[in-house]
C-alpha cells in the first residue's frame, strides 16, 4: 500500500488466501496458475472501481499493478518466491473469482499472486533490450556514451 496511485485514491484491496481448499479452488479457475496449490499463500489483488480516480478502469489497473509489483519485490526481499497470475481482462477468470469470493459489483479482481518458499534459486536476470530504449525521439537509437549521461 506504499505504491503510487492516481490522485492518491489507493483503490486496491488484497484477499489473503492460506486455506488449502481455497487455494485448490483458485487453481481450478486459473489455467496458468495450477501451481498455486503448492504455494503457501495466494494474495488476490482487487480494485474498487468506485474509488479509482475518475472511476477510470485504466487508473484502477495501473494503481493495482504498481501495488502488485511492490508485492513481488517485497516477497523477493524476504527470500520468498512469487508469481503474478493473470486474471483481468479474462472475463471467465474475473467471473470465477467474483463468485468464489462473493465480491461486490464494484470490486474487480485483477490478479492472483502466488507466494511461497522457492524450490530453487535462480540468479538475477534482466531482459534488457537496447532497441526498446529511445533517446529524445523514437527513431534516434544511438545510446549516449556513459560520460554524456
Ligand atoms: C499481467 C501478467 C499476467 C501474468 N500471468 C501469469 C500467469 O497466469 N501464470 C504465470 O505463470 N505467470 C504469469 N505472469 C508472469 C509472466 O509470465 C512472467 O513475468 C514472464 O514470463 C517473465 O518471466 P520472469 O518474470 O520469470 O522473468 C504474468 C505476468 C503479468 C505481468
Amino acid at each position: 500500500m506504499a505504491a503510487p496511485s492516481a490522485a492518491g485514491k489507493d483503490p486496491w484491496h488484497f484477499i489473503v488466501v492460506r486455506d488449502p481448499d481455497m487455494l485448490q479452488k483458485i487453481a481450478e479457475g486459473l489455467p496458468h496458475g495450477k501451481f498455486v496449490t503448492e504455494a503457501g499463500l495466494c494474495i488476490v489483488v482487487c480494485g474498487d472501481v468506485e474509488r479509482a480516480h475518475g472511476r477510470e478502469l485504466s487508473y484502477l489497473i495501473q494503481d493495482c499493478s504498481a501495488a502488485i509489483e511492490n508485492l513481488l519485490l517485497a516477497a523477493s526481499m524476504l527470500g520468498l518466491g512469487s508469481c503474478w497470475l493473470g486474471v483481468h481482462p479474462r472475463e471467465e477468470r474475473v467471473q470465477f473469482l467474483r463468485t468464489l469470493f462473493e465480491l461486490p459489483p464494484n470490486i474487480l479482481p485483477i490478479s492472483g499472486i502466488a507466494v511461497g518458499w522457492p524450490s530453487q534459486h535462480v540468479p538475477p536476470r534482466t531482459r534488457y533490450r537496447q532497441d526498446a530504449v529511445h533517446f529524445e525521439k523514437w527513431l534516434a537509437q544511438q545510446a549516449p556514451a556513459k560520460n554524456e549521461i
Side-chain angles (χ1 to χ4, degrees), residues 45-78:
V45 181
C46 302
D48 181 346
V49 185
E50 295 295 322
R51 193 175 167 134
H53 184 40
R55 296 183 181 173
E56 294 217 49
L57 180 63
S58 178
Y59 282 132
L60 184 80
I61 305 293
Q62 293 174 66
D63 298 344
C64 289
S65 296
I68 291 167
E69 182 65 16
N70 276 4
L71 224 153
L72 300 178
L73 291 171
S76 107
M77 283 169 64
L78 293 168

Side-chain angles (χ1 to χ4, degrees), residues 14-28:
F14 305 88
I15 305 177
V16 179
V17 181
R18 288 169 293 190
D19 176 3
D21 291 341
M22 282 300 277
L23 291 174
Q24 178 65 45
K25 284 186 182 139
I26 292 172
E28 285 162 19

Side-chain angles (χ1 to χ4, degrees), residues 21-34 36-37 85-88 90-98 100-101:
D21 291 341
M22 282 300 277
L23 291 174
Q24 178 65 45
K25 284 186 182 139
I26 292 172
E28 285 162 19
L30 301 186
H32 305 297
K34 301 298 178 199
V36 73
T37 53
L85 308 176
V87 176
H88 186 270
R90 299 290 181 232
E91 197 50 41
E92 67 285 359
R93 299 182 207 172
V94 169
Q95 285 309 332
F96 179 86
L97 293 185
R98 273 193 193 288
L100 183 62
F101 293 108

